[in-house]
Amino acid sequence: MIYYQLFKIFFLLGLFSFGGGYASMELIRSRVVAEQLWLTDWEYTDIISIAEMTPGPLGINIASFVGTRTAGVPGTVTATFSYILPAMVIVLILSWFYERYSSLEGVQGVLQGLRPAVVAMIIAAAVRLVGTAWWEGLENAALENTNWVAVILSLILFFLLQKKKLGPIQAILSSGIIGGAVYWILGMI
């Protein structure tokens, strides 16, 4: 039963996850955290952190980790395969159409029209992650509930990523090491 659920949910997620892993993070969270209760928001945020550090596309890595968490290695295979199957079929079909019709103005208009939707999905996922990291959920967003260590680390790393061109691997490793040390020193672990 769990394998069927994993297949169905991740097939549908793969079918409707437009814009890549960042854009689909909130859609995946709504299914595996809010609907299925397979993970908590904290566990999902941890999985995103780990998926960011591992090679490969974010959405596929998240599917693999959720599959492992819920049903072991067979769950990993099921979730990962079902997540990539729709994209593989759709990309094969669209690449054929794009090759033939990409120069048409209507096609270019559709592609430009999709960009704002992808940006909106990425922003929604980012807002949810900020809420979890800074306040243990957006519903708790208040000054007295703020995790100031997370806020300061986030802002420092944002600055380093933007101004100093720190690479993502360096940022993730630095944040993990510094965050672990700070939380341990402050006794927050």
Side-chain angles (χ1 to χ4, degrees):
M1 184 66 169
I2 187 69
Y3 303 114
Y4 173 73
Q5 286 181 306
L6 281 168
F7 183 88
K8 182 177 91 172
I9 287 170
F10 278 100
F11 180 85
L12 291 172
L13 287 168
L15 187 61
F16 295 107
S17 291
F18 294 95
Y22 293 108
S24 63
M25 283 191 305
E26 180 57 22
L27 181 60
I28 295 171
R29 190 207 68 77
S30 70
R31 296 303 178 268
V32 302
V33 174
E35 185 180 293
Q36 294 297 317
L37 305 175
W38 287 336
L39 304 169
T40 66
D41 270 323
W42 278 108
E43 290 170 324
Y44 184 68
T45 302
D46 290 344
I47 283 176
I48 289 172
S49 300
I50 294 167
E52 278 287 337
M53 292 188 305
T54 55
L58 182 63
I60 294 170
N61 290 348
I62 293 171
S64 298
F65 282 111
V66 171
T68 301
R69 177 77 163 72
T70 57
V73 173
T76 302
V77 173
T78 302
T80 304
F81 174 74
S82 61
Y83 186 76
I84 65 171
L85 181 62
M88 187 173 62
V89 172
I90 291 169
V91 165
L92 286 172
I93 293 168
L94 288 178
S95 64
W96 181 83
F97 278 103
Y98 185 77
E99 183 67 29
R100 292 198 172 17
Y101 304 110
S102 64
S103 60
L104 297 176
E105 287 181 28
V107 172
Q108 291 303 313
V110 168
L111 294 174
Q112 287 179 355
L114 290 174
R115 290 179 188 137
V118 172
V119 169
M121 289 188 294
I122 292 170
I123 290 170
V127 167
R128 173 76 63 176
L129 287 172
V130 166
T132 300
W134 291 4
W135 299 291
E136 296 187 23
L138 287 172
E139 63 279 357
N140 299 320
L143 197 57
E144 65 270 7
N145 297 333
T146 303
N147 179 340
W148 290 105
V149 174
V151 171
I152 292 167
L153 278 174
S154 299
L155 294 175
I156 289 170
L157 286 163
F158 180 77
F159 172 79
L160 292 173
L161 285 165
Q162 295 300 309
K163 300 294 181 190
K164 300 296 182 186
K165 304 301 180 204
L166 185 69
I169 293 172
Q170 295 166 315
I172 291 168
L173 291 175
S174 299
S175 181
I177 293 167
I178 294 167
V182 169
Y183 282 110
W184 182 74
I185 290 168
L186 295 175
M188 296 173 74
I189 295 180

